[in-house]
Amino acid sequence: IDMRNLTSMKRHQSAPGQQSRRKAAAMMECAITLPMLVILVLGILEIGSGLRASTILQSACRESGRLTAMDWRYIIHPNQTPNQKVSQDLKNFVTASGLNGNASTVTITHADGDNVGQTFDLADPNNDLQFVRVEVTLPYSTVSVFPLNYLAGKILKASIVMRATTKGGSLSN
């Protein structure tokens, strides 16, 4: 037996209370950093969810804005107005993208002139080539991953402004 190896092993062994102090320090570090890490990850998930929903609303507005600028006479159902068609298509787009489209609110209003903010009738020939704003809002609570109180009552909103036309390119050409 080589005595030098035994003595060197004894020197590297911890003192009786030192190992338990190291475990306690590691537990304290974990107790401090783990909650912060969890909060950071949950915050990233929440922000990502809100950004995803905002992007979906913007895309839905863009798609419904195209309908306001085209000849819609051949694509609306009987007893349906162009405004109802735009609103329903927008809500369907939001629903198909994984959000609650039924919780969304769609407004179609004048975007300029004396009638700014008033309801815009897409079927009215007097509104031909006028600027129209299509806006959709969705309560943040419908897209929130977690029930967070500091975002309660917040609303996600997207809108687009385009020229509306009742004389767009004919589908029969």
Side-chain angles (χ1 to χ4, degrees):
I1 297 177
D2 186 8
M3 291 302 220
R4 283 180 285 178
N5 286 342
L6 287 176
T7 56
S8 67
M9 286 177 64
K10 286 182 181 179
R11 270 188 264 146
H12 293 296
Q13 289 179 351
S14 358
Q18 189 177 6
Q19 192 170 15
S20 64
R21 284 194 304 259
R22 285 185 189 163
K23 285 183 181 179
M27 287 174 47
M28 284 302 294
E29 289 171 1
C30 184
I32 291 170
T33 58
L34 189 60
M36 291 190 315
L37 182 63
V38 168
I39 288 170
L40 181 67
V41 168
L42 294 178
I44 289 171
L45 289 173
E46 187 70 17
I47 289 171
S49 175
L51 288 173
R52 176 183 168 270
S54 178
T55 301
I56 290 170
L57 293 180
Q58 290 169 4
S59 296
C61 278
R62 185 176 51 250
E63 292 300 320
S64 64
R66 288 183 181 142
L67 182 59
T68 66
M70 64 183 278
D71 189 0
W72 39 259
R73 292 175 291 172
Y74 303 104
I75 59 173
I76 62 172
H77 301 292
N79 301 322
Q80 183 182 37
T81 67
N83 288 41
Q84 291 169 338
K85 174 71 172 162
V86 168
S87 179
Q88 189 58 50
D89 283 1
L90 193 147
K91 289 182 178 193
N92 289 344
F93 186 97
V94 170
T95 301
S97 298
L99 300 178
N100 185 356
N102 292 329
S104 64
T105 304
V106 178
T107 57
I108 302 171
T109 59
H110 286 271
D112 70 341
D114 296 335
N115 298 327
V116 170
Q118 295 179 7
T119 302
F120 190 100
D121 183 8
L122 292 168
D124 185 355
N126 295 327
N127 288 335
D128 192 42
L129 299 179
Q130 299 297 312
F131 286 108
V132 59
R133 176 184 309 276
V134 178
E135 182 176 274
V136 61
T137 59
L138 187 66
Y140 188 83
S141 60
T142 63
V143 299
S144 178
V145 179
F146 310 102
L148 300 173
N149 291 332
Y150 65 90
L151 292 175
K154 300 295 180 190
I155 294 177
L156 296 171
K157 179 169 66 171
S159 66
I160 189 168
V161 175
M162 296 187 76
R163 285 195 187 268
T165 182
T166 56
K167 302 172 187 169
S170 174
L171 295 177
S172 61
N173 289 347

